[in-house]
Amino acid sequence: MTTLSPELQQAAQEFGRALRDHDAVQQYLQAVANLTADAAASQLDEQFESVRAALVARQRAGEDLPIDEVQAFYALREKVVGNAQIEHRDHALTMAKGYLANVGADLNRAAGLDFITMALS
């Protein structure tokens, strides 16, 4: 159940569609689709994220990581960095994040509020 008035809900939906239609967001969505369509690149990306998350978790738990595993991770990272589909997706994500951060700052200024600070309070 929503607590928004119908007018405010409609405005929020239109705002969301406008954000999604922006070139930076569309480029990111297309880059994700292209990466997903490339099975090899997609598998490489998933493998990298899985290995990275596992190593980070082990390191945070205080485990000393064996050098061969760290070297294997760096070799995998080099493959990821050299993959055009992943690089394009990551670049598009950076551009979309920058756009959305600017929109958020504009909203904060227009409303005279700092939504991030309010959300963290």
Side-chain angles (χ1 to χ4, degrees), residues 11-91:
Q13 288 173 337
E14 290 173 10
F15 180 62
R17 280 191 292 274
L19 291 175
R20 184 179 178 89
D21 290 344
H22 188 274
D23 187 53
V25 175
Q26 283 298 306
Q27 287 184 25
Y28 169 70
L29 294 173
Q30 185 60 54
V32 168
N34 292 345
L35 176 58
T36 302
D38 183 332
S42 186
Q43 191 276 333
L44 178 64
D45 188 47
E46 290 173 16
Q47 179 186 9
F48 175 76
E49 286 304 320
S50 176
V51 169
R52 185 196 58 76
L55 291 176
V56 167
R58 289 170 53 200
Q59 193 173 37
R60 285 185 179 156
E63 184 178 336
D64 288 332
L65 302 176
I67 192 70
D68 60 323
E69 288 185 48
V70 173
Q71 289 174 336
F73 170 75
Y74 287 138
L76 182 58
R77 185 179 69 178
E78 287 302 313
K79 289 180 184 178
V80 167
V81 170
N83 185 281
Q85 296 286 11
I86 296 171
E87 181 182 350
H88 183 66
R89 188 267 325 263
D90 291 348
H91 175 73

